[in-house]
Amino acid sequence: PLLAQAPVVGSSDPESLFTSKDPKLHANKQVVLHIMRDLLEANHWSDAPKWIAPEYVQHNPNIPSGLEPVMKFFGSRKPTPIPDRKSWRTPVVSVTATGDLVTVAFVREYDDPRKPGAKYTTTWFDMWRIRDGKAVEHWDPATIAPPAPAR
């Protein structure tokens, strides 16, 4: 029989993962902390120019490159208070930094197509290239969804 997976679990203190003893890696992780927490968690997209460069290159096939298109794509979401260090909605598993790259892995939950009503977890990632204190490039595993069936 098929064995059940071990569920993917996030950190109880995600902000603690955005630190490093290396000053450059710490600075890069802090940029990504603000992108994850202030922008993606709390929707404070008016602050995006503090953390994302105008020439931002986007490798997600659903979002155009550039700061302005990214702000337009996410900007209609209603801002909420910036969460404290332990109240994030996004369950962060790990934050890895090397050179100018910072990768955040986090839990994604989906409906289990084999068991109606059941869920399963897997891991998603976002990776950014940081230059001069701002994100200049982004990757994730996003794909283009097929069009909805005609009705």
Side-chain angles (χ1 to χ4, degrees), residues 16-137:
S16 69
L17 303 175
F18 291 86
T19 62
S20 176
K21 291 179 182 175
D22 178 293
K24 181 64 177 167
L25 298 181
H26 182 78
N28 289 349
K29 282 185 165 189
Q30 289 294 294
V31 170
V32 174
L33 166 73
H34 288 287
I35 292 170
M36 290 289 300
R37 186 191 65 197
D38 304 3
L39 304 183
L40 294 169
E41 281 278 315
N43 297 311
H44 288 229
W45 286 95
S46 62
D47 290 339
K50 295 177 185 178
W51 313 113
I52 298 175
E55 69 275 15
Y56 187 68
V57 176
Q58 177 62 266
H59 296 289
N60 177 317
N62 301 297
I63 306 171
S65 289
L67 171 62
E68 291 300 323
V70 169
M71 289 178 69
K72 184 177 179 181
F73 183 86
F74 289 107
S76 64
R77 298 176 180 182
K78 185 179 182 206
T80 60
I82 293 174
D84 68 32
R85 65 181 301 115
K86 294 188 178 187
S87 65
W88 290 32
R89 290 183 320 272
T90 303
V92 177
V93 174
S94 69
V95 180
T96 307
T98 184
D100 60 357
L101 298 173
V102 178
T103 303
V104 179
F106 51 95
V107 180
R108 276 281 168 104
E109 184 179 82
Y110 294 100
D111 292 329
D112 188 332
R114 304 163 300 182
K115 300 177 190 170
K119 303 277 188 186
Y120 72 96
T121 57
T122 190
T123 309
W124 186 269
F125 82 90
D126 280 292
M127 182 169 67
W128 290 270
R129 183 181 311 283
I130 308 301
R131 185 180 308 129
D132 300 326
K134 294 188 179 187
V136 295
E137 195 167 10

